[in-house]
């Protein structure tokens, strides 16, 4: 009998794996609905939906292996990164979904959240003030007008699967919706800056690298408290705090 593997579990959601089936349980049923809708309309490979009974979604495992992991060296070839870039470009050129996604927050909303998190990080002694201040400055580049595209919204490197240099599946669509396309590119290369050139080459469009760097800093500043409070370690080598330190 297949064993039950806990892929991720915290107070908001959990993902279990049994053989080639993933069971996603989400306290926010709307996120599951977003995921189902996004996978149905995204013009890129996505997992097969086996059944959907809120708050549970059952999906099939996608073939291949993840492009990489945050905090670990990424060994995928330049061609694999380019293929990932091409898939992201195809997504961004698709018709807009009906909802705003995680990458679609307004400049005003992001600014307020960012300033609040920076104050919390310094006041509670989680990070040095100079580190927070420098990355708050870098993050400013991402706070600008943008044209909405179909974004994944949580395009972590571990969410893109490939077989050789071919994308076989992109998983975890619960944050999908209209948003800033450069957010997707930044999240995919978070902690793997040296692969940005290959990704952009496959993406096939001029990209403002200052905005990408701004998203790296913003994403990391906004994530530290959540990660700590949910049992993850942003201080692990190569993870969010190291991303912030790389901007000094």
């Amino acid at each position: 009998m297949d064993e039950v593997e806990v892929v991720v579990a915290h107070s908001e959601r959990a993902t279990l794996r049994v053989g080639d089936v993933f069971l996603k349980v989400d306290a926010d049923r709307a996120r599951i609905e977003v995921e189902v809708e996004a996978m149905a309309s995204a013009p890129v490979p996505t997992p097969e939906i086996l059944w959907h009974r809120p708050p549970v979604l059952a999906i099939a495992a996608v073939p291949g292996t993840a492009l990489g992991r945050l905090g670990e060296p990424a060994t995928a070839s330049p061609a694999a990164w380019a293929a990932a870039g091409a898939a992201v470009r195809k997504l961004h050129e698709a018709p807009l979904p009906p909802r705003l996604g995680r990458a679609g927050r307004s400049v005003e909303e992001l600014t307020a959240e960012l300033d609040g998190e920076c104050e919390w990080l310094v006041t509670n002694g989680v990070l040095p003030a100079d580190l927070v201040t420098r990355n708050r400055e870098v993050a400013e580049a991402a706070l600008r007008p943008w044209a909405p595209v179909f974004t994944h919204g949580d395009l972590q490197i571990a969410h893109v699967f490939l077989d050789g240099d071919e994308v076989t599946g992109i998983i975890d669509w619960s944050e999908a919706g209209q948003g800033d396309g450069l957010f997707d590119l930044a999240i995919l290369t978070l902690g793997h800056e040296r692969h940005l050139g290959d990704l952009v080459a496959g993406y096939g469009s001029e990209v403002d690298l200052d905005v990408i760097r701004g998203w790296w800093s913003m994403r990391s500043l906004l994530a530290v408290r959540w990660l700590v409070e949910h049992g993850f370690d942003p201080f692990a080598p190569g993870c969010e705090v190291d991303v912030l330190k790389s901007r000094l």
Side-chain angles (χ1 to χ4, degrees):
M1 180 178 293
D2 291 317
E3 294 183 351
V4 176
E5 174 191 355
V6 178
V7 179
V8 62
H10 49 76
S11 60
E12 295 178 8
R13 65 186 84 170
T15 300
L16 310 176
R17 179 171 187 170
V18 186
D20 289 332
V21 176
F22 286 88
L23 298 174
K24 305 187 71 172
V25 185
D26 201 316
D28 183 351
R29 294 191 179 196
R31 275 196 297 249
I32 292 287
E33 297 295 339
V34 168
E35 185 155 12
V36 170
E37 291 175 5
M39 288 193 290
S41 58
V44 296
T46 61
E48 176 190 0
I49 297 175
L50 302 176
W51 50 266
H52 172 215
R53 299 183 191 125
V56 183
L57 173 65
I59 59 176
V62 298
T65 57
L67 183 60
R69 302 280 177 186
L70 182 62
E72 299 177 6
T75 58
S77 69
W81 280 93
V88 177
R89 179 61 181 271
K90 188 174 183 180
L91 175 66
H92 289 174
E93 291 180 339
L96 290 175
R99 320 176 194 225
L100 286 176
R102 180 70 174 169
R105 289 167 293 172
S106 69
V107 169
E108 294 75 17
E109 181 183 357
L110 281 169
T111 299
E113 183 180 358
L114 182 60
D115 288 342
E117 288 303 302
C118 288
E119 180 180 0
W120 183 88
L121 291 169
V122 174
T123 300
N124 290 277
V126 178
L127 294 175
D130 61 339
L131 182 63
V132 172
T133 299
R134 171 56 183 154
N135 278 275
R136 175 63 182 82
E137 294 170 351
V138 174
E140 191 69 26
L143 298 170
R144 88 280 178 230
W146 41 266
V149 298
F150 190 154
T151 56
H152 180 281
D154 189 23
L155 199 61
Q156 301 175 41
I157 186 174
H159 291 167
V160 179
F161 282 72
L162 298 98
D163 184 0
D165 299 331
E166 179 182 355
V167 175
T168 55
I170 298 177
I171 66 171
D172 286 358
W173 291 83
S174 61
E175 307 289 352
Q178 297 182 31
D180 177 7
L182 296 192
F183 179 87
D184 276 349
L185 297 180
I187 300 306
L188 187 52
T189 52
L190 185 75
H192 296 282
E193 182 172 352
R194 70 185 184 90
H195 297 288
L196 178 60
D198 296 322
L199 182 77
V200 171
Y203 190 70
S205 177
E206 185 175 342
V207 169
D208 188 331
L209 298 184
D210 285 338
V211 173
I212 296 289
R213 296 184 187 102
W215 274 122
W216 286 338
S217 289
M218 187 176 324
R219 168 66 171 75
S220 299
L221 288 168
L222 294 180
V224 169
R225 174 168 27 175
W226 187 95
L227 292 168
V228 169
E229 291 178 346
H230 288 78
F232 300 99
D233 185 9
F235 293 87
C239 293
E240 285 78 6
V241 173
D242 276 356
V243 171
L244 295 172
K245 289 178 178 178
S246 70
R247 303 274 69 85
L248 293 177

